Amino acid sequence: MSLTTSSATSGENVPPTPADVPPPKASTEAVNFLESLVPEDDFKYLMFEDHLVTTSDTGKELGEFAVSIEPTKHKGQECFLVHANSHGAIDGVPCGTSITAYVGDNLETLEQQHHEYVKLENCPLDRKTFIVKQEDDFVINRVITQGEDIQRSSKTVNQEVMKGFVSEGSNLLLHRVFIEKGIPENLQLISFDSDTNLCPAIYRRLEERTQTVDKTELKVFGVERTINSTVDLPTTWQSYFMKDGHLTNRVQVGSPVTMKLAFVPPYIIRDEEPPKPTFEKQPLRWEDDAQLYSQFLDRKEELKADHAKYMRHHPELKALLADFMQFLLLRKPDDVIAFAAEYFAAFSTTMPSPSPYLASSSVTPFPNSRTNTKIEQLRAPTR
């Protein structure tokens, strides 16, 4: 989709974007990297402040640079507040930059205010850029004041075109994420150049090196960012960080101004989960444990008292067991279990009652008596 631009002010001269030039796109690897970020895990230890001093190539202190990132809410949405401020004087001319950005999940810019100024004696320059996300679009407003001339411009960019966009505010948080997670290969995002033209933003890892800060040698890790403007020369920044994400050095390639860490900040302590202790299995010798043995005796006395109480409430139990033992000792059966089962079966309420004619219905011990011919002959009348 093309960009739509509207402007208002006299004397404004905004170079139009060629209609036949498609807007740049972020690489698939870069988009996947942003979508894989989990703020609760990946940003957990990135909420802190950085303070650097700005020096010239001769070592003269020119000003200071500060960055702070903290969790917040913006219009009811959980996000991160990124604030950066740089001010000083170069060749006696005061200048500075300030950024206030609200960055959401996956480093999406919800709102950003970018202010730059150079207080020249005859023609001071003041440039303000506002980025606001509104539903499916991003609205970019600019106000450039140079002397008495004021230029205003506004443009709206569709969200699909801005996929993979990294503003100056979200870029500061992204650098810390790179130190935390590493930089994937072929990482191309999109960003604005100085004239708010969408351009490819290339990130790559720099070689590790050592940096001396306040007589302390630190091992630092570098990230390089290059904005390939379509209307101007490329612009490259190189930044170095401590292992915990603290910024130690930042420079724009070709610029005589460098931002350096003056004092080593306290190392960020991470709440790492301690390893779970392992315990070897030990044999249980409860007799040797005074507490366990005492509990055993208490439980034993409790059960004995409960059993005695039950027998006092059921005196028939003693009589029943006494009869069974007497009967058992009189008979002395070989199979005690079968004998006991037959004995106690008579007391069961679930056994069927025996028939009163059980004896007469039993099988006769004389199976042939009913058909004995001699008996029949005796019954016959004498002839």
Side-chain angles (χ1 to χ4, degrees):
M1 299 181 65
S2 61
L3 309 182
T4 58
T5 306
S6 62
S7 59
T9 52
S10 59
E12 181 183 9
N13 184 16
V14 179
T17 302
D20 56 342
V21 178
K25 293 184 179 180
S27 63
T28 303
E29 293 82 359
V31 174
N32 292 339
F33 178 80
L34 295 182
E35 292 178 348
S36 68
L37 296 178
V38 181
E40 293 80 3
D41 299 330
D42 299 327
F43 301 169
K44 182 177 181 181
Y45 299 104
L46 307 182
M47 305 293 108
F48 53 84
E49 297 182 4
D50 278 327
H51 296 275
L52 284 75
V53 294
T54 305
T55 61
S56 65
D57 52 358
T58 60
K60 181 181 178 180
E61 187 171 326
L62 304 175
E64 61 181 4
F65 173 73
V67 179
S68 66
I69 303 177
E70 58 183 311
T72 187
K73 279 189 176 182
H74 179 65
K75 298 180 180 179
Q77 180 177 346
E78 299 282 348
C79 62
F80 302 94
L81 172 61
V82 181
H83 182 69
N85 183 41
S86 172
H87 62 86
I90 300 177
D91 296 331
V93 179
C95 59
T97 302
S98 66
I99 297 172
T100 301
Y102 295 93
V103 180
D105 295 344
N106 309 123
L107 299 180
E108 183 183 41
T109 301
L110 306 178
E111 183 175 317
Q112 176 180 278
Q113 300 177 14
H114 188 183
H115 181 206
E116 302 170 279
Y117 69 89
V118 179
K119 293 185 177 181
L120 296 170
E121 184 176 354
N122 299 325
C123 188
L125 174 65
D126 188 282
R127 180 163 55 192
K128 297 177 181 178
T129 305
F130 304 91
I131 303 174
V132 180
K133 183 178 183 297
Q134 297 180 351
E135 297 182 353
D136 296 333
D137 297 319
F138 285 87
V139 178
I140 299 95
N141 294 315
R142 301 189 78 201
V143 179
I144 301 175
T145 304
Q146 190 167 9
E148 297 182 356
D149 183 29
I150 300 177
Q151 299 180 5
R152 303 178 187 274
S153 65
S154 177
K155 62 182 177 182
T156 302
V157 186
N158 187 269
Q159 184 175 352
E160 285 299 318
V161 178
M162 299 280 280
K163 190 172 184 179
F165 171 76
V166 176
S167 65
E168 292 301 316
S170 58
N171 171 68
L172 295 171
L173 178 55
L174 178 61
H175 275 70
R176 294 184 181 183
V177 174
F178 285 150
I179 302 303
E180 181 81 9
K181 297 176 64 68
I183 305 177
E185 297 294 332
N186 191 28
L187 194 73
Q188 175 178 307
L189 296 163
I190 55 177
S191 189
F192 284 145
D193 62 8
S194 59
D195 292 324
T196 66
N197 298 310
L198 278 177
C199 306
I202 310 298
Y203 292 85
R204 72 180 187 90
R205 181 177 62 88
L206 298 175
E207 294 295 329
E208 301 175 8
R209 64 183 183 89
T210 58
Q211 179 180 339
T212 303
V213 178
D214 193 25
K215 299 180 181 181
T216 303
E217 280 198 358
L218 301 176
K219 186 178 181 180
V220 294
F221 308 85
V223 178
E224 183 179 84
R225 178 198 188 205
T226 301
I227 302 294
N228 292 317
S229 175
T230 57
V231 296
D232 203 350
L233 296 175
T235 308
T236 301
W237 292 265
Q238 292 182 346
S239 305
Y240 284 88
F241 300 82
M242 294 171 55
K243 187 178 180 180
D244 63 352
H246 276 295
L247 181 63
T248 64
N249 187 284
R250 187 172 188 261
V251 62
Q252 180 178 336
V253 176
S255 172
V257 178
T258 304
M259 300 173 185
K260 294 182 179 180
L261 186 65
F263 302 97
V264 179
Y267 189 80
I268 298 175
I269 300 176
R270 305 200 172 198
D271 301 327
E272 296 181 356
E273 184 178 354
K276 294 183 180 180
T278 57
F279 301 97
E280 295 182 1
K281 187 176 181 181
Q282 299 291 338
L284 179 61
R285 296 178 181 177
W286 59 270
E287 301 94 337
D288 300 335
D289 190 301
Q291 184 177 0
L292 289 178
Y293 189 67
S294 176
Q295 292 178 355
F296 164 75
L297 293 179
D298 292 344
R299 180 59 176 164
K300 180 179 178 181
E301 294 300 324
E302 181 183 351
L303 290 175
K304 288 174 64 177
D306 184 66
H307 295 165
K309 179 180 178 181
Y310 179 80
M311 294 183 70
R312 286 195 303 269
H313 285 80
H314 298 277
E316 68 274 12
L317 179 60
K318 288 186 177 180
L320 181 65
L321 293 177
D323 289 345
F324 170 72
M325 290 298 297
Q326 184 179 14
F327 194 47
L328 176 68
L329 295 175
L330 288 174
R331 292 295 184 93
K332 296 182 175 60
D334 294 333
D335 192 344
V336 177
I337 296 178
F339 179 81
E342 183 178 354
Y343 178 84
F344 287 106
F347 298 93
S348 174
T349 58
T350 60
M351 295 290 291
S353 300
S355 171
Y357 304 102
L358 184 61
S360 60
S361 62
S362 61
V363 180
T364 176
F366 307 103
N368 296 325
S369 62
R370 301 183 186 275
T371 58
N372 194 316
T373 55
K374 293 184 178 182
I375 293 179
E376 295 294 331
Q377 291 176 0
L378 294 174
R379 290 177 178 177
T382 305
R383 294 181 181 178

